[in-house]
Amino acid sequence: MSLGADAACGALKHSSEPTATSNETMRESHKEYADDNEKGIHIINIKAIEDIAYVQSDGMLLNSLGADRDTGCKHGLFFGDGQRKVDYILAFTYKKSSGSRTPHKKNHNSNSVHSLHSPKDDHHLPGGGADLEAMEAEPKMDYHEDDKRFRREEYEGNLIETGLELERDEETKLHGVGFVKIHAPWNVLCREAEFMKLKMPTKKVYHINQTPDLMQKLSSFIQKICEPIQPKVAGLRPQTVKHLSYPFSREKQHLFDMSDKDSFFDSKTRSSIVYEILKRTTCTKAKYSMGITSLLANGVYSAAYPLHDGDYDSEAEANDRKLLCDEWASYSAFYKFQPIDLVRKYFGEKIGLYFAWLGVYTQMLIPASVVGIIVFLYGCATVDENIPSMEMCDTRYNITMCPLCDRTCNYWKMSSACGTARASHLFDNPATVFFSVFMALWAATFMEHWKRRQMRLNYRWDLTGFEEEEDHPRAEYEAKVLQKSLKKEYRNKETEKEKLTWRDRFPAYLTNMVGIIFMIGVTFAIVFGVIIYRISTAAALAMSSNPNTRANVRVTVTATAVIINLVVILILDEVYGAIARWLTQLEVPKTDKTFEERLIFKAFLLKFVNAYTPIFYVAFFKGRIVGRPGDYYYIFQSFRMEECAPGGCLMELCIQLSIIMLGKQLIQNNLFEIGIPKMKKLIRYLKSKRQSYKDHEEHLKKKQRYEEDHNLEPFAGLTPEYMEMIIQFGFVTLFVASFPLAPLFALLNNIIEIRLDAKKFITELRRPVAVRAKDIGIWYNIIRGVGKLAVIINAFVISFTSDFIPRLVYLYMYSPDGTMHGFVNHTLSYFNVSDFKPGNEPTQPVDFGYKVEVCRYKDYREPAWSLNKYDINKDYWAVLAARLAFVIVFQNLVMFMSDFVDWIIPDIPKDISEQIHREKVLVVEVFLKEEQGKLQMLETWKERERKKGENCKSPRLSRSQRGSSASMYCHRADV
């Protein structure tokens, strides 16, 4: 019979008449427990309890630890005693010998689940009997495994010296994986809370200032309307009272609300405190100071994580994880608000701020989507009234267009592009200009709304005045510094503390610069390759004998090229993410925060270029560098540069943008996020199941909470989550003039994304360590930069990609009747087919019933009969001047309006500002009152001492009376 942590709990449930052996064992156990209590090391010897269980297989032992803890003990949420809660888990791998699989009933001294003693105890080293058994069973142990074991022993001993309590479990269901359970007692929590300056609620309760009656009634009305879409969790109603919070101090514990000590430090706070100790505690071996990050990086421990509160799919137990799964991570709750306070309570402020930001962004997409739909419907409603598209569709104009490629392409009628022209009007109409201005102001309003929301959350979560302190150095940085110091010590015999300078990092900086430039060059090369594909494919399809193929050349080429771009973008996104991490690791940043910021910058730069380069090409370069009939520009002297469709490149830009945006959201953001974690989880499950069958007893055991969490995917940070949303924000804002429906598709995606991310955090990932943060960090600056860039790009899209400016110039400068009649003819130039270079003219001209002598092409050039034939005419310069003027006016006007919105909306809501000021005043009052109380007690004590002295020296009594009475009074006073 093999006992794990649940076996230790089960042993506590047996009770009968104790035998002599059991009594002796119990006395030894209690004696050892009492001795360790005197040392300040609170443990329970689970080994002794196991021995009692084996000796009394038919008896029962009274459970003095409380029956209500059995469930928690059974599922691995508590230590073996069922009282001390598991705050953190360290997992490690070890080579499991055949001796360690021996059934415990044959070896009563097996210590598979045991508490760790002080490292000073020679008989109970922090590694326990299981490590000793492994050493005995495998005399030829691998040196690296042996080194890892000793490092674990030293590190765990140092953890015990900090006051933490440890318990090891190696006989788990996971083959070759051991666990160290960590518990932080009350005195350690108080000490670390004071060091970390955690704000905790005091006994002082104050009423929050209420809004005026009218606003209060309006708020109540809105709350009643929104009640059906509120999640069913506690604490959603507006607060009327609030506990005054103050950084925790052990000297002032009496000021804090400790009515319930078990819940004073919640699970996320306890785990963050333990993690801080783990990072600070070091394992010093050969001058190499190794905290938990270094130990994880070197494989001494395989994982370190806090536990989830319990099962999310269990009907029996109620916990925050299950509540979040039902009310937040369920797709059926897509229409509800997020329980942000509960998310923060469970995962910490940093993750809570991410989901709060995602919720605000999604809510702000609603008005943008409505306006985008209106703009699109306006284009649909006015398509039949658009004069330029009507002229292009009118066969009476009989305009013959020049071939789109050399030799294989033929002359064609402009009316054949009727469908493209009508479709272009859906997105290229005067309403798109208004929508571009609206989206620029929307982006500014969104940023201001988020800042105000962020301040409200900071106040509610007691983060006002919080300043991030410098983090502990990373493992790689410490290793690099150690390597440098050892080299210097070897040369100069100096041992002063070293640090990395710019000279040490210069090779890494140079590699970063060259690597980033090379990756950007790779992206440009791939886009160039797709351009070659489009040109060559169009020429090949034009030679087809199938008339349907020749008629759909442009659609086929555009669709296939966009799909190729999408596949390349998805592949390079993963490659660039790995390259950005590798380049950042070369720099050896000192802290995790610096590492994260540099990684974010590199990854965003590479992924931004990767996602938007094909779109930039279509928007600003396609059709611009073409030449003219008879003098076209060629690539490699073979491939003629491609032209825009007769209706312009805006329609193709819309197709490119929509396919890439929707494809990335559907495949990368959703399918990858669902499929990859589930596939990894399945692989780990099958691997664990295959290994577990080797030991039938282990397979039969029910998994503990820490074993189940070990099978989950490790938390890799919020960078991928933010990155996909920022890239989407770019799609929504940068080219919104060409695709007004982008906000709508982003909104639909985000509704799913919120629940998808929530489900991933609840069910697929290990519980991350709670991190305090008062903002979203560098991402805010990136979003702000994208918003500013969007104004410039939309100005150029409207000016140079769409026909908005040429139409305005024609309407006000060249139209004979003040209408758009004749605009299409005005934008087309004439070319004499006799001026084709030999070999470039169509080999088999189409028979239109007449000989083609002149064809038309879209450009502002002199006609064939002019003295300066085919030169750029004055209309081109007029349109170019108008385009540049529009860019300057649009950019400055919109940026001024955005800055005005930024200025007129305060960053901090007025009521929050007042409440923060009030809290500061109340804190001063509380401490003044405490000091006055202390002073009053001191004065009372002094007065009592003074009266005591006066009574002892009173002259009114006789000598005998004075002596007896004074001595009696002094005696009473002393008592």
Side-chain angles (χ1 to χ4, degrees):
M1 178 179 179
S2 175
L3 289 181
D6 54 342
C9 294
L12 296 173
K13 298 176 184 178
H14 297 288
S15 65
S16 75
E17 292 298 325
T19 62
T21 307
S22 66
N23 283 331
E24 183 180 352
T25 309
M26 186 182 293
R27 282 194 297 271
E28 291 176 0
S29 172
H30 287 307
K31 183 178 183 299
E32 183 176 355
Y33 179 66
D35 292 342
D36 287 324
N37 269 337
E38 293 177 1
K39 298 177 185 179
I41 306 171
H42 305 289
I43 61 169
I44 290 181
N45 195 332
I46 304 299
K47 176 181 177 300
I49 299 177
E50 287 181 359
D51 290 339
I52 297 170
Y54 291 120
V55 173
Q56 298 182 181
S57 57
D58 298 326
M60 296 182 68
L61 176 67
L62 293 176
N63 184 359
S64 60
L65 300 175
D68 56 335
R69 296 294 188 180
D70 289 348
T71 304
C73 178
K74 181 179 179 182
H75 297 296
L77 294 173
F78 290 85
F79 272 27
D81 58 10
Q83 291 184 336
R84 293 172 294 172
K85 188 175 182 181
V86 177
D87 297 319
Y88 218 86
I89 289 291
L90 298 179
F92 59 92
T93 57
Y94 64 95
K95 291 184 178 180
K96 199 169 184 182
S97 66
S98 57
S100 64
R101 293 175 194 161
T102 306
H104 285 225
K105 61 185 178 181
K106 296 180 182 180
N107 184 7
H108 291 181
N109 292 324
S110 175
N111 194 12
S112 62
V113 183
H114 56 279
S115 295
L116 300 182
H117 295 244
S118 171
K120 299 176 183 179
D121 192 344
D122 296 335
H123 300 287
H124 299 283
L125 287 174
D131 281 345
L132 295 175
E133 288 176 8
M135 293 175 64
E136 293 173 0
E138 299 185 32
K140 296 181 180 180
M141 178 59 67
D142 183 16
Y143 169 77
H144 296 290
E145 291 295 323
D146 200 40
D147 182 63
K148 289 179 183 179
R149 178 182 301 104
F150 284 116
R151 286 187 182 183
R152 285 198 298 269
E153 291 174 358
E154 181 186 0
Y155 183 69
E156 290 165 12
N158 293 339
L159 289 180
I160 293 175
E161 289 181 356
T162 64
L164 295 179
E165 300 173 3
L166 312 183
E167 184 177 274
R168 181 174 292 207
D169 184 4
E170 290 183 356
E171 291 297 326
T172 65
K173 191 174 179 180
L174 302 180
H175 182 80
V177 179
F179 297 93
V180 177
K181 296 178 278 187
I182 303 176
H183 169 77
W186 174 257
N187 61 327
V188 174
L189 294 173
C190 293
R191 181 191 69 206
E192 296 299 322
E194 184 174 355
F195 292 164
M196 296 169 64
K197 300 177 182 178
L198 296 180
K199 275 191 171 183
M200 305 303 293
T202 64
K203 295 177 182 178
K204 177 66 176 177
V205 178
Y206 67 95
H207 288 271
I208 299 176
N209 292 336
Q210 299 297 318
T211 55
D213 292 340
L214 180 61
M215 295 299 296
Q216 190 174 359
K217 290 180 180 178
L218 181 61
S219 177
S220 300
F221 177 71
I222 294 175
Q223 186 178 353
K224 287 181 180 179
I225 294 177
C226 297
E227 191 170 349
I229 58 176
Q230 293 286 358
K232 297 177 182 178
V233 297
L236 286 178
R237 293 189 174 275
Q239 291 180 323
T240 57
V241 295
K242 186 177 185 292
H243 281 274
L244 182 66
S245 296
Y246 188 76
F248 186 80
S249 173
R250 287 174 289 178
E251 294 180 355
K252 297 180 173 59
Q253 285 192 35
H254 59 280
L255 295 179
F256 293 90
D257 182 18
M258 294 187 179
S259 55
D260 185 6
K261 281 191 175 184
D262 291 338
S263 61
F264 184 73
F265 295 106
D266 57 15
S267 58
K268 76 166 178 57
T269 306
R270 298 174 68 99
S271 62
S272 62
I273 287 175
V274 173
Y275 182 65
E276 191 69 22
I277 298 175
L278 293 177
K279 288 195 298 182
R280 190 177 66 235
T281 306
T282 58
C283 170
T284 54
K285 185 177 179 64
K287 294 187 178 181
Y288 193 174
S289 177
M290 301 179 68
I292 187 60
T293 53
S294 302
L295 294 172
L296 288 170
N298 287 274
V300 178
Y301 290 102
S302 59
Y305 52 92
L307 293 180
H308 280 292
D309 279 357
D311 293 330
Y312 61 87
D313 54 357
S314 174
E315 297 293 336
E317 58 177 322
N319 53 69
D320 288 343
R321 188 187 187 193
K322 177 175 173 55
L323 184 60
L324 284 171
C325 184
D326 294 338
E327 296 295 327
W328 180 51
S330 173
Y331 292 109
S332 60
F334 73 92
Y335 60 92
K336 292 185 178 181
F337 290 110
Q338 298 183 84
I340 293 297
D341 290 330
L342 187 58
V343 174
R344 173 254 178 179
K345 177 186 174 185
Y346 194 78
F347 291 111
E349 287 79 6
K350 191 171 184 178
I351 294 177
L353 283 173
Y354 163 70
F355 281 103
W357 174 83
L358 183 56
V360 170
Y361 172 47
T362 304
Q363 291 172 14
M364 288 294 293
L365 282 173
I366 296 175
S369 303
V370 172
V371 177
I373 293 172
I374 293 173
V375 169
F376 178 74
L377 293 178
Y378 170 81
C380 295
T382 58
V383 66
D384 293 330
E385 302 173 4
N386 183 42
I387 294 175
S389 61
M390 291 170 62
E391 290 182 349
M392 290 185 66
C393 294
D394 194 345
T395 56
R396 294 175 297 178
Y397 282 90
N398 198 29
I399 297 177
T400 303
M401 303 296 291
C402 295
L404 296 175
C405 61
D406 294 339
R407 291 188 301 177
T408 57
C409 295
N410 247 313
Y411 303 106
W412 54 284
K413 293 293 184 180
M414 189 179 65
S415 58
S416 63
C418 175
T420 305
R422 289 173 64 86
S424 296
H425 178 73
L426 301 178
F427 306 100
D428 187 5
N429 56 70
T432 57
V433 179
F434 158 76
F435 190 55
S436 298
V437 176
F438 171 82
M439 287 303 295
L441 297 179
W442 173 87
T445 306
F446 162 60
M447 299 305 295
E448 291 305 308
H449 179 45
W450 167 243
K451 283 194 291 187
R452 291 170 63 85
R453 171 69 169 161
Q454 188 173 261
M455 282 306 303
R456 289 190 179 277
L457 293 177
N458 284 345
Y459 167 72
R460 203 160 70 197
W461 296 348
D462 296 323
L463 293 173
T464 53
F466 167 71
E467 294 294 337
E468 293 185 9
E469 298 179 356
E470 186 177 358
D471 202 357
H472 298 278
R474 299 176 62 249
E476 292 80 1
Y477 180 85
E478 290 182 336
K480 199 77 173 179
V481 169
L482 174 67
Q483 184 180 3
K484 181 181 177 182
S485 62
L486 289 176
K487 287 182 179 179
K488 192 169 183 180
E489 182 181 351
Y490 177 75
R491 294 173 183 174
N492 304 328
K493 303 299 181 180
E494 297 178 357
T495 58
E496 68 270 9
K497 189 173 182 180
E498 292 291 336
K499 64 179 181 179
L500 298 184
T501 62
W502 69 269
R503 288 186 180 88
D504 300 318
R505 292 193 173 104
F506 180 75
Y509 291 153
L510 184 62
T511 305
N512 269 259
M513 185 174 65
V514 173
I516 290 175
I517 293 174
F518 176 74
M519 289 300 108
I520 293 175
V522 169
T523 302
F524 289 163
I526 292 174
V527 172
F528 183 74
V530 175
I531 294 172
I532 300 297
Y533 162 80
R534 295 164 68 110
I535 296 170
S536 58
T537 305
L541 292 178
M543 299 172 59
S544 174
S545 58
N546 190 338
N548 291 328
T549 303
R550 292 196 304 270
N552 297 305
V553 169
R554 190 177 296 274
V555 176
T556 304
V557 170
T558 301
T560 55
V562 172
I563 293 173
I564 292 173
N565 277 327
L566 174 61
V567 173
V568 170
I569 287 172
L570 294 177
I571 295 174
L572 288 184
D573 258 0
E574 303 301 321
V575 174
Y576 286 168
I579 290 175
R581 180 170 292 276
W582 175 69
L583 291 175
T584 308
Q585 288 172 345
L586 290 181
E587 294 183 24
V588 196
K590 183 176 181 180
T591 63
D592 287 330
K593 182 180 179 182
T594 309
F595 180 87
E596 185 180 22
E597 288 180 350
R598 295 184 182 183
L599 173 62
I600 288 170
F601 175 75
K602 294 181 184 65
F604 175 75
L605 178 62
L606 292 175
K607 292 189 178 186
F608 182 89
V609 172
N610 180 42
Y612 295 114
T613 298
I615 301 173
F616 270 93
Y617 164 72
V618 175
F620 301 120
F621 295 99
K622 184 179 179 181
R624 304 284 185 272
I625 314 172
V626 177
R628 60 170 179 81
D631 189 21
Y632 284 112
Y633 300 143
Y634 292 88
I635 301 175
F636 305 133
Q637 298 181 350
S638 301
F639 301 103
R640 198 177 100 186
M641 292 295 291
E642 56 182 344
E643 303 178 41
C644 289
C649 279
L650 197 68
M651 185 62 199
E652 187 172 344
L653 176 61
C654 174
I655 295 172
Q656 184 106 359
L657 182 66
S658 60
I659 291 179
I660 292 178
M661 177 182 175
L662 296 177
K664 272 181 67 67
Q665 291 184 163
L666 180 64
I667 299 174
Q668 190 177 42
N669 298 358
N670 293 332
L671 292 182
F672 282 8
E673 284 194 12
I674 296 174
I676 292 179
K678 286 189 176 296
M679 188 179 299
K680 289 181 178 179
K681 187 177 178 181
L682 179 62
I683 292 173
R684 284 194 300 269
Y685 171 76
L686 293 176
K687 185 178 179 180
S688 173
K689 188 176 180 180
R690 185 176 65 253
Q691 291 175 339
S692 295
Y693 272 122
K694 297 177 181 178
D695 194 328
H696 185 63
E697 287 188 2
E698 288 185 354
H699 180 67
L700 293 178
K701 282 197 319 181
K702 177 179 173 57
K703 282 188 178 181
Q704 303 294 307
R705 175 79 270 150
Y706 46 86
E707 294 175 291
E708 292 182 355
D709 286 1
H710 185 268
N711 288 332
L712 299 177
E713 186 74 10
F715 175 65
L718 290 171
T719 300
E721 315 300 334
Y722 273 113
M723 187 67 71
E724 66 186 55
M725 287 296 106
I726 301 303
I727 296 295
Q728 184 204 82
F729 182 78
F731 283 121
V732 169
T733 55
L734 292 179
F735 297 94
V736 74
S738 63
F739 190 38
L741 296 179
L744 174 64
F745 289 111
L747 173 64
L748 297 176
N749 173 80
N750 288 4
I751 291 174
I752 301 173
E753 180 74 20
I754 290 175
R755 309 303 164 181
L756 183 64
D757 283 349
K759 198 171 189 65
K760 181 173 69 174
F761 273 82
I762 292 294
T763 64
E764 303 293 338
L765 298 180
R766 293 174 189 163
R767 187 175 183 177
V769 180
V771 178
R772 287 187 296 168
K774 63 178 181 179
D775 52 39
I776 60 175
I778 193 176
W779 295 109
Y780 178 84
N781 297 326
I782 293 177
I783 297 170
R784 194 173 184 83
V786 171
K788 296 293 184 183
L789 182 63
V791 177
I792 301 172
I793 290 179
N794 280 301
F796 277 94
V797 168
I798 294 171
S799 297
F800 289 90
T801 308
S802 75
D803 285 336
F804 178 74
I805 298 301
R807 288 172 185 171
L808 285 182
V809 172
Y810 177 78
L811 184 64
Y812 291 105
M813 293 182 62
Y814 301 105
S815 176
D817 55 358
T819 65
M820 293 301 296
H821 288 288
F823 169 74
V824 174
N825 186 62
H826 177 75
T827 59
L828 298 177
S829 298
Y830 293 88
F831 178 77
N832 193 333
V833 298
S834 61
D835 292 334
F836 273 122
K837 291 181 179 180
N840 289 346
E841 68 278 0
T843 55
Q844 296 179 348
V846 178
D847 185 10
F848 291 120
Y850 58 88
K851 183 180 180 181
V852 178
E853 297 180 351
V854 176
C855 64
R856 308 291 296 275
Y857 62 99
K858 189 173 183 179
D859 206 347
Y860 291 101
R861 292 181 180 271
E862 296 291 343
W865 53 84
S866 174
L867 294 176
N868 301 317
K869 64 177 183 179
Y870 309 135
D871 287 348
I872 294 174
N873 60 21
K874 63 178 183 179
D875 297 343
Y876 171 83
W877 299 109
V879 171
L880 179 61
R883 281 173 166 166
L884 293 176
F886 177 83
V887 168
I888 295 171
V889 173
F890 181 89
Q891 173 184 333
N892 287 279
L893 178 63
V894 174
M895 284 195 173
F896 169 77
M897 296 173 67
S898 300
D899 292 339
F900 179 75
V901 170
D902 190 358
W903 173 76
I904 201 173
I905 301 176
D907 294 345
I908 305 177
K910 185 178 179 181
D911 59 328
I912 297 298
S913 179
E914 292 175 352
Q915 296 295 346
I916 293 174
H917 177 71
R918 189 181 175 198
E919 275 199 355
K920 292 179 180 178
V921 173
L922 288 173
V923 167
V924 174
E925 289 180 358
V926 168
F927 282 99
L928 281 178
K929 187 177 180 181
E930 184 195 11
E931 292 299 325
Q932 289 174 358
K934 289 181 178 179
L935 185 60
Q936 186 176 2
M937 289 177 62
L938 183 60
E939 292 293 335
T940 304
W941 180 80
K942 286 182 178 180
E943 182 67 21
R944 186 179 298 172
E945 288 295 319
R946 186 181 60 81
K947 288 182 178 180
K948 171 185 172 182
E950 288 178 354
N951 291 330
C952 290
K953 299 178 181 180
S954 177
R956 296 180 182 178
L957 300 174
S958 64
R959 184 173 297 177
S960 60
Q961 291 175 336
R962 186 168 63 241
S964 61
S965 61
S967 61
M968 184 182 299
Y969 176 81
C970 294
H971 175 72
R972 288 179 178 175
D974 291 339
V975 174

